[in-house]
């Protein structure tokens, strides 16, 4: 019996350290669980604290924004109240009458200024009586004016931008400067010029058969051109354009068909200062025949703008180049009408007639006569009057 007691005591001694280790392990595990739970608790607490801080900050922001909106709305309400208060302020009778008086005074000043302007622009004092017009009738009939534009338009040389050639002008100028050349008998003769006086000297001329003859102005035929034998006399002698239908009513169809062929006109001192009798015609082939000397009397041709106008003319006069080298070409059209294409190819000048303002007819007529006088002084001075001084 002693042996088992010793064995049990030994067994007890052997199991006691194992239990102790198990208890230590249990304590260690418990302590680890406790530490992990404490960490989890700390993390939850920290997370909850951050969440509350965020919520508090957002709450403060919302609160501040609400305060700002309340303050702005209150300010707006105050300004609108002030505005309503200003608008609703009634105006006293004195203030109303003061404003009305200021408006009336301003309108009266404006009416006074308008009256002064109308008085300054009135025609009083500028009316010409019929007696004065009759007194100076001779002066006004002979006075022809033509606008030449300003200095800029003259320097631009109208037509240069269209590609026109102005060498012909230089040739004419050089031709007037050429001295007279002696012929085979030692006598001086001139061709196409007779000195700087335009036929006023007593030198022998190159074409004596033209001396004393009437210069010819050829007009177009038909109903299309504005100037024909029907109204050419009034335009060239009186500087007045009479429409075709008006002329027929005034003269009758039979008398108007005949027209007037001759008129006299006084030229300037540069062209001799005397009177020249001109002849109008629209069919030079029937009037002049085959005599080239008679054809040389042509000083101006009023063109229709079509080359068939010259188809039955004599020999070289059918050619526009030759024709307008030996006569002054001029085209007369109505304002607004289309310009014929051939006009730009020929050596001709152009003039326009106003459809309503008859006072402008003299401008077109003056442009024609200025060109004819200058051309005759250079090319056919034999047809101009002689100056015996």
């Amino acid at each position: 019996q002693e042996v088992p007691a010793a064995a049990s005591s030994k067994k007890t001694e052997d199991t006691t350290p194992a239990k102790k280790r198990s208890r230590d392990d249990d304590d260690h595990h418990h302590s680890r669980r406790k530490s992990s739970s404490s960490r989890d608790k700390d993390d939850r607490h920290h997370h909850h604290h951050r969440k509350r801080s965020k919520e508090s900050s957002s709450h403060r922001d919302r609160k501040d924004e609400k305060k700002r909106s309340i303050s702005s709305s209150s300010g707006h309400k105050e300004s609108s109240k002030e505005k309503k208060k200003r608008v609703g302020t009634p105006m006293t009778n004195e203030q109303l009458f003061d404003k009305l008086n200021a408006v009336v005074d301003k309108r009266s000043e404006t009416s006074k200024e308008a009256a002064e302007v109308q008085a300054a622009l009135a025609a009083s004092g500028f009316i010409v009586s019929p007696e004065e017009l009759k007194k100076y009738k001779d002066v006004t009939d002979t006075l022809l004016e033509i606008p030449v534009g300003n200095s800029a338009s003259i320097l631009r040389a109208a037509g240069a931008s269209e590609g026109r050639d102005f060498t012909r002008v230089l040739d004419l100028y050089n031709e007037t400067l050429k001295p007279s050349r002696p012929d085979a008998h030692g006598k001086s003769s001139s061709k196409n010029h007779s000195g700087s006086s335009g036929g006023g000297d007593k030198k022998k001329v190159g074409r004596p058969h033209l001396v004393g003859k009437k210069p010819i102005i050829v007009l177009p035929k038909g109903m299309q051109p504005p100037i024909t034998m029907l109204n050419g006399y009034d335009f060239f002698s009186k500087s007045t354009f009479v429409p075709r239908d008006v002329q027929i009513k005034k003269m009758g169809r039979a008398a108007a068909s005949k027209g007037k062929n001759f008129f006299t006109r006084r030229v300037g001192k540069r062209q001799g200062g005397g009177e020249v009798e001109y002849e109008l015609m629209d069919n030079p082939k029937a009037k002049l025949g085959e005599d080239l000397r008679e054809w040389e009397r042509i000083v101006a041709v009023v063109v229709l703008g079509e080359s068939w106008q010259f188809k039955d003319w004599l020999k070289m006069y059918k050619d526009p180049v030759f024709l307008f080298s030996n006569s002054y070409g001029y085209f007369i059209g109505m304002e607004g009408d289309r310009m014929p294409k051939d006009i730009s190819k020929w050596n001709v000048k152009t003039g326009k007639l106003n459809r309503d303002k008859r006072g402008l007819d003299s401008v077109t007529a003056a442009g024609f006569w200025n060109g004819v006088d200058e051309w005759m002084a250079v090319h056919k001075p034999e047809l101009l009057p002689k100056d015996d001084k």
Side-chain angles (χ1 to χ4, degrees), residues 75-298:
H76 179 69
K77 288 181 180 178
E78 289 177 0
S79 62
S80 62
K81 288 181 180 179
E82 291 177 358
K83 186 175 180 181
K84 289 181 180 179
K85 188 176 181 181
R86 285 199 307 272
V87 173
T89 303
M91 184 182 294
T92 64
N93 292 334
E94 294 179 356
Q95 293 176 345
L96 178 62
F97 282 115
D98 290 339
K99 290 184 179 294
L100 290 175
N101 291 330
V103 172
V104 171
D105 293 339
K106 188 173 181 181
R107 289 186 177 179
S108 62
E109 292 177 359
T110 306
S111 62
K112 289 179 182 179
E113 293 178 357
E116 292 177 359
V117 172
Q118 290 178 358
L121 297 177
S124 59
F126 297 95
I127 300 176
V128 181
S129 62
E131 291 78 10
E132 292 179 346
L133 290 175
K134 187 176 180 180
K135 181 180 178 181
Y136 296 101
K137 184 176 184 303
D138 296 336
V139 179
T140 56
D141 288 345
T142 57
L143 182 62
L144 296 175
E145 296 181 356
I146 180 170
V148 296
N150 53 22
S151 59
S153 63
I154 295 174
L155 292 175
R156 280 197 296 267
S161 60
E162 301 175 3
R164 295 184 181 178
D165 189 7
F166 289 90
T167 56
R168 177 65 178 166
V169 179
L170 181 61
D171 295 337
L172 293 176
Y173 174 76
N174 294 331
E175 192 173 342
T176 59
L177 299 179
K178 290 181 182 179
S180 58
R181 293 172 293 180
D183 55 12
H185 300 284
K187 298 180 180 180
S188 61
S189 63
S190 60
K191 185 177 181 181
N192 292 336
H193 69 282
S194 59
S196 60
S197 63
D201 56 11
K202 295 184 179 180
K203 295 181 180 180
K204 288 187 176 181
V205 295
R207 290 169 292 194
H209 59 277
L210 294 179
V211 177
K213 295 294 185 70
K214 298 179 180 64
I216 296 174
I217 300 175
V218 182
L219 305 180
K221 294 188 295 184
M223 300 176 61
Q224 182 180 358
I227 302 296
T228 60
M229 288 295 296
L230 186 67
N231 54 5
Y233 176 84
D234 291 323
F235 181 76
F236 292 110
S237 64
K238 303 177 183 179
S239 300
T240 302
F241 170 68
V242 181
R244 179 185 180 87
D245 54 346
V246 177
Q247 188 76 330
I248 292 175
K249 290 180 181 179
K250 184 172 65 173
M251 299 178 59
R253 185 172 297 274
S257 61
K258 296 179 181 179
K260 295 182 180 180
N261 299 340
F262 301 95
F263 66 93
T264 302
R265 173 179 170 271
R266 180 175 292 276
V267 296
K269 291 184 178 181
R270 291 183 58 189
Q271 288 78 30
E275 291 186 348
V276 180
E277 186 178 8
Y278 294 86
E279 182 178 359
L280 298 175
M281 62 176 64
D282 59 0
N283 190 3
K285 180 66 179 296
K287 294 287 186 68
L288 304 178
E290 302 288 336
D291 191 353
L292 285 176
R293 292 190 173 189
E294 287 296 310
W295 281 80
E296 290 182 357
R297 291 167 50 203
I298 298 176

Side-chain angles (χ1 to χ4, degrees), residues 39-92:
R39 282 197 303 272
D40 293 340
K41 187 176 181 180
D42 292 338
D43 291 339
R44 286 195 300 273
H45 179 73
H46 183 65
H47 178 70
H48 180 68
H49 179 72
R50 283 190 300 175
K51 186 176 181 181
R52 289 189 63 185
S53 63
K54 286 183 179 180
E55 289 177 354
S56 61
S57 62
S58 62
H59 179 69
R60 285 196 301 271
D61 293 339
R62 286 195 298 273
K63 192 173 182 180
D64 294 339
E65 185 176 359
K66 186 175 182 180
K67 288 182 179 180
R68 285 195 299 270
S69 63
I70 292 172
S71 62
S72 62
S73 62
S74 62
H76 179 69
K77 288 181 180 178
E78 289 177 0
S79 62
S80 62
K81 288 181 180 179
E82 291 177 358
K83 186 175 180 181
K84 289 181 180 179
K85 188 176 181 181
R86 285 199 307 272
V87 173
T89 303
M91 184 182 294
T92 64

